[in-house]
Amino acid sequence: LAKTTQPISMDSYEGQEVNITCSHNNIATNDYITWYQQFPSQGPRFIIQGYKTKVTNEVASLFIPADRKSSTLSLPRVSLSDTAVYYCLVVLGDNAGNMLTFGGGTRLMVKP
Amino acid sequence: DTEVTQTPKHLVMGMTNKKSLKCEQHMGHRAMYWYKQKAKKPPELMFVYSYEKLSINESVPSRFSPECPNSSLLNLHLHALQPEDSALYLCASSLDRAGDTQYFGPGTRLTVL
């Protein structure tokens, strides 16, 4: 089972780019990397998912190096509303058990 | 409709009570999940239903009993809970396989007295 490690917390200021790195040293060939965002007292919300290289959508980019042992979520020009907990998950590409484990999460605080 | 709904939003129950949490989605998803989340901790997977059959039970105590009456509904029946079971209970659904992108409901905040 691929376990993830993230920084516990990060601070940033409005308008800055934020990069959150997740380590997943024992990722397997079929695993995907997925990031979720969670606000207090709400359910997590899907942000982005990738397998290798770079993925970009309207809210974030995900950078995955060739060895796939880590990944970096990049949030461009953050605002106060991006203050949340960000979770990195490694999700098995096949229908096996124990693949839906959230890591500890990174608490991002965006300051004015 | 891209929403997962959960009822009730808040629930307070005694240790001898029997109550149920309800989750509903109308996105045509065939996988549904229950998670438990304690304060300042990540969600912990409890159960996964795939095509209305229980496919994953993460060694959850029998005082929690899941039920999937149809592909749109997921219930969690609660009986003889302990105060340490107080938490936010999250329901999620995904298109097909466990592991597909999950859509979460807002959760039910449960307090056991």
Side-chain angles (χ1 to χ4, degrees):
Chain A
L1 173 65
K3 185 178 177 180
T4 60
T5 304
Q6 306 172 233
I8 293 174
S9 64
M10 293 181 71
D11 289 344
S12 183
Y13 291 92
E14 282 191 294
Q16 288 189 334
E17 178 183 78
V18 170
N19 295 309
I20 306 174
T21 297
C22 179
S23 172
H24 27 80
N25 289 322
N26 57 342
I27 190 169
T29 303
N30 289 339
D31 293 347
Y32 286 79
I33 299 147
T34 308
W35 286 80
Y36 285 83
Q37 174 193 56
Q38 187 176 26
F39 298 112
S41 297
Q42 294 186 26
R45 183 176 74 103
F46 171 83
I47 301 175
I48 198 165
Q49 182 179 67
Y51 184 78
K52 62 180 178 180
T53 61
K54 177 184 173 183
V55 179
T56 297
N57 62 23
E58 62 275 9
V59 297
S61 294
L62 179 60
F63 298 91
I64 305 168
D67 65 6
R68 304 199 329 121
K69 293 185 183 299
S70 66
S71 59
T72 299
L73 174 72
S74 180
L75 304 172
R77 297 180 299 281
V78 294
S79 64
L80 297 176
S81 62
D82 292 316
T83 294
V85 179
Y86 292 82
Y87 292 102
C88 166
L89 283 81
V90 172
V91 180
L92 282 176
D94 55 12
N95 192 12
N98 291 330
M99 73 296 206
L100 298 170
T101 303
F102 281 75
T106 298
R107 292 184 179 276
L108 173 65
M109 173 69 72
V110 180
K111 302 174 183 177
Chain B
D1 184 356
T2 58
E3 198 177 5
V4 176
T5 58
Q6 291 187 244
T7 54
K9 286 180 68 72
H10 301 276
L11 178 62
V12 179
M13 60 187 290
M15 289 189 284
T16 58
N17 292 157
K18 284 185 180 181
K19 296 286 184 182
S20 295
L21 309 184
K22 180 179 174 181
C23 173
E24 196 164 0
Q25 57 87 15
H26 296 287
M27 294 180 278
H29 289 175
R30 304 311 300 269
M32 295 186 78
Y33 315 77
W34 280 115
Y35 288 85
K36 172 183 176 180
Q37 186 174 29
K38 303 282 272 183
K40 297 192 186 303
K41 296 290 187 182
E44 296 175 33
L45 182 66
M46 299 174 73
F47 302 103
V48 180
Y49 273 84
S50 182
Y51 289 84
E52 297 152 53
K53 287 186 167 45
L54 184 64
S55 62
I56 297 174
N57 177 343
E58 293 287 348
S59 303
V60 179
S62 60
R63 58 185 184 268
F64 295 92
S65 176
E67 179 196 19
C68 189
N70 60 57
S71 59
S72 300
L73 279 176
L74 186 66
N75 298 320
L76 186 63
H77 303 298
L78 315 172
H79 173 56
L81 295 193
Q82 304 295 312
E84 59 264 28
D85 296 322
S86 298
L88 181 68
Y89 288 84
L90 294 161
C91 174
S93 70
S94 68
L95 182 62
D96 188 347
R97 305 166 306 153
D100 285 338
T101 299
Q102 296 179 55
Y103 294 81
F104 283 82
T108 293
R109 175 72 61 187
L110 174 68
T111 302
V112 182
L113 301 176

